[in-house]
Amino acid sequence: MDDSTCGPAGANAAPECQIYVAAPGHDRLMERLAAALNGSLGPERVISYGCVEVEWEHNDYEGTGAHTEFLDWNSLLVCRPRPGASATAVVSDTASVLEAVREAGYRAVPVCDDEELLQEPGTEPRST
């Protein structure tokens, strides 16, 4: 994707979005995600997609016995907006990342300010 589509951020810049993923580790998840997005892993094992940088982190809540299932999943993808990215472009690109994760066969739950815009068609937004 051409970086020029990101546009100026201004006061409407989107915050990062965390996507909890039911995946046991990062290597296979990141490789499958990069393939699904027609991208590649950077030297720091980061995927650049449109206006976001996607990085894997270990979910620190894993194993804590949280009452919410997704909080106990191992993997956390953090989608960080690139400098100058508009909120609209970041939400769109984050939605594409979420869709690619799900199409790769993983269960995934987004947690961010715009998560209602990222839900699968036909699903109800989850309450927080």
Side-chain angles (χ1 to χ4, degrees), residues 1-16 49-53 79-94 114:
M1 174 178 276
D2 184 350
D3 290 340
S4 65
T5 61
C6 291
N12 296 324
E16 71 180 36
Y49 180 76
C51 296
V52 296
E53 301 285 326
C79 298
R80 292 186 176 91
R82 293 171 115 188
S86 71
T88 302
V90 170
V91 169
S92 176
D93 291 343
T94 301
D114 298 311

Side-chain angles (χ1 to χ4, degrees), residues 93-112:
D93 291 343
T94 301
S96 294
V97 170
L98 178 60
E99 182 180 341
V101 169
R102 289 175 172 160
E103 286 179 0
Y106 297 103
R107 292 181 296 153
V109 175
V111 177
C112 55

